[in-house]
Amino acid sequence: MSTQQLPVVVIGAGPTGLAAAAHLVERGIEPLVLEAGPAAASAVREWSHVRLFSTWGEVVDPAAEKLLAPTGWMRPDPGAYPSGGDWADLYLQPLADVLGDRVRVGAAVTGVSRAGRDRIVDADREQQPFVVHITYADGREERAFARAVIDASGTWAMPSPAGGSGLPALGEKAAGDRITYRVPDLKDPVVRARYAGKRTTVIGSGASAFTALAYLADLAKSDDGAGTKGVRIVRRGISGSTFGGGEADQLPARGALGLAAKAAVDEGHADAVTGFRTEAIERDNDGRLVLAGEDGRRLDAVDEVIVLTGFRPDLSFLDELRLGLDERLQAPVELAPLIDPNQHSCGTVYPHGHRELSHPEPGVYLVGMKSYGRAPTFLAMTGYEQVRSVAAAIAGDLASADRVELTLPETGVCGGAGLFDAPDAQEADGGGCCAPAPQLVQLGAPATVGAASEQAPAGGCCGS
């Protein structure tokens, strides 16, 4: 069998990975999608309680929709905002079902290389197929050969630590029973009981930290949450952007989150600590956690810590491949300047494709959230355009691969979801990006908070 007759291995059955498979099928190329989790969209299901900032009209891939059409599937209301659970149940799982045996779950990729060639060997390298090592949930091991590899595994499994130097704080691992790296689902009675009446530190400066503070403030105002208190820690000093852009934010839903977080502090439901870089997490005599800073400060003890400092890519299983990654962001070197969070929001990153995603190792592509490395901003639409271009390149259709077939809204994100997610507001906003300025509203059910956070795994809109 020639290399061209082999399948393309797609790592990850999330939104971008499944879209990649749909585009490959459309071009007559067989995909083999390997998902480490027990079901398609496993990562998305873990934040099922969070609502996206994008509408259904922006989170369904065109090739996937064509593949689904013969089954009678119809896209939900294009102007409505799905939760992570909606996205998984109403779109991603049906798409995986249509792909059938092309998708394997419980199949973790543990290594990728060239057959018979480690990363050192040059001789005849590009003529060799890729070899992918797989470990299944039952412990079985297998290898598969591929003509190309598309890594859409995301960053969800690699949360960044509390430590201010990018390393875990001293004692962070030992205190793991009282630390979470996700926005908690306070609709879950067990989770709610964990935080009700407790003092909780939230570490982070993005929308996810705002979301967590808003949830805790809502809990503090409820009948079963008396005594709940948040402590927000940010590593930077106080500035005009400590609580986001507020009404000046181009992303109104994100602005609303910042306003809600600020209100939590102003109303006494949370304290704010700025310019604090965590060096150690210790336990006091009662087992509560005390955070010590690099500047010698020690904060009052807390019961729980929520760490929302972003995510990073797992590159360990790609170690035998020759990747060209930016030294800061761990993103492809051609893409990195386009997504530098110091310069860009998701709306100012122009659509890009196979050339920006290429590596010194031909035939391997990092796509979706994985392609952004440590950069926090990402659009589902951008991921779909990435895999459309990559599939075309693999098929040899460079004219299509080089053509931009996506037009993003000016701000890159719609503003109808988030904390002002009432059904009437959704209809009025219509998914547009120039939504009204955010208004602070009374927090309702946690499921109304947007997914545009710095650690949204594959979020429909921005990640920051």
Side-chain angles (χ1 to χ4, degrees):
M1 177 182 292
S2 71
T3 300
Q4 296 303 304
Q5 293 175 297
L6 293 172
V8 173
V9 163
V10 179
I11 305 173
T16 307
L18 292 173
H23 281 278
L24 290 167
V25 169
E26 188 174 54
R27 288 190 169 272
I29 300 172
E30 277 298 302
L32 173 59
V33 183
L34 301 173
E35 167 59 47
S42 290
V44 174
R45 296 177 193 278
E46 291 192 31
W47 49 274
S48 61
H49 59 293
V50 179
R51 193 169 299 281
L52 280 73
F53 286 149
S54 286
T55 64
W56 274 111
E58 296 165 323
V59 298
V60 174
D61 176 79
E65 189 165 15
K66 290 179 185 177
L67 195 61
L68 283 163
T71 70
W73 184 89
M74 295 184 64
R75 185 199 311 228
D77 178 3
Y81 296 84
S83 66
D86 296 335
W87 204 17
D89 293 339
L90 302 181
Y91 165 59
L92 297 172
Q93 186 61 56
L95 178 54
D97 292 342
V98 167
L99 289 165
D101 292 342
R102 299 181 178 104
V103 178
R104 299 182 190 176
V105 299
V109 173
T110 56
V112 183
S113 186
R114 291 279 189 178
R117 306 288 188 274
D118 62 24
R119 67 184 296 161
I120 298 174
V121 178
D122 289 334
D124 213 22
R125 185 178 187 84
E126 293 183 18
Q127 282 66 53
Q128 306 307 313
F130 290 96
V131 59
V132 180
H133 282 210
I134 309 161
T135 300
Y136 292 95
D138 62 4
R140 289 182 299 115
E141 293 183 314
E142 184 183 15
R143 65 177 182 172
F145 294 97
R147 62 186 288 186
V149 175
I150 299 175
D151 183 357
S153 59
T155 57
W156 181 249
M158 296 283 287
S160 294
S165 300
L167 301 172
L170 300 179
E172 182 170 345
K173 293 180 181 179
D177 61 319
R178 296 201 174 202
I179 300 176
T180 184
Y181 299 85
R182 309 287 192 260
V183 175
D185 180 4
L186 296 185
K187 291 178 67 179
D188 182 321
V190 174
V191 177
R192 192 175 182 87
R194 175 175 176 174
Y195 296 96
K198 304 292 180 60
R199 184 176 173 87
T200 299
T201 287
V202 178
I203 304 176
S205 59
S208 286
F210 297 157
T211 300
L213 285 168
Y215 279 13
L216 292 172
D218 194 39
L219 176 59
K221 291 180 277 190
S222 67
D223 292 340
D224 61 340
T228 303
K229 184 86 169 186
V231 180
R232 186 195 176 197
I233 293 179
V234 294
R235 294 168 177 169
R236 296 190 294 267
I238 191 75
S239 72
S241 62
T242 296
F243 290 97
E247 295 183 4
D249 199 322
Q250 287 186 324
L251 312 179
R254 185 175 65 185
L257 287 170
L259 291 175
K262 186 176 186 303
V265 173
D266 292 344
E267 295 170 3
H269 300 302
D271 297 326
V273 179
T274 60
F276 187 92
R277 294 182 176 273
T278 306
E279 181 178 72
I281 300 178
E282 305 165 357
R283 290 186 188 266
D284 66 8
N285 293 334
D286 297 324
R288 303 176 81 204
L289 302 183
V290 176
L291 275 63
E294 294 177 353
D295 58 2
R297 280 186 287 172
R298 294 171 61 83
L299 304 183
D300 292 340
V302 296
D303 301 288
E304 299 284 342
V305 175
I306 301 173
V307 181
L308 300 169
T309 53
F311 285 71
R312 54 188 60 176
D314 180 5
L315 301 168
S316 60
F317 59 88
L318 304 176
D319 195 47
E320 291 304 319
L321 297 177
R322 297 175 176 180
L323 302 181
L325 298 174
D326 178 73
E327 68 275 8
R328 291 183 303 150
L329 298 183
Q330 295 179 297
V333 291
E334 295 297 323
L335 176 60
L338 309 180
I339 60 174
D340 183 344
N342 295 304
Q343 303 295 328
H344 298 283
S345 71
C346 50
T348 62
V349 178
Y350 69 80
H352 49 273
H354 73 110
R355 295 196 185 277
E356 291 86 353
L357 299 170
S358 294
H359 293 274
E361 190 83 69
V364 60
Y365 302 92
L366 277 57
V367 300
M369 285 292 291
K370 184 75 169 274
S371 72
Y372 271 42
R374 297 194 184 197
T377 55
F378 186 72
L379 284 161
M381 289 187 294
T382 299
Y384 297 158
E385 173 65 5
Q386 286 180 342
V387 296
R388 183 206 63 77
S389 173
V390 166
I394 292 172
D397 184 358
L398 293 183
S400 177
D402 289 336
R403 187 168 57 244
V404 174
E405 296 186 1
L406 173 67
T407 301
L408 294 175
E410 285 185 12
T411 61
V413 62
C414 43
L419 291 179
F420 52 104
D421 184 36
D424 291 343
Q426 290 180 21
E427 294 298 326
D429 291 337
C433 289
C434 298
Q439 300 295 318
L440 179 61
V441 299
Q442 178 68 37
L443 295 175
T448 63
V449 176
S453 62
E454 63 189 6
Q455 59 280 344
C461 272
C462 280
S464 172

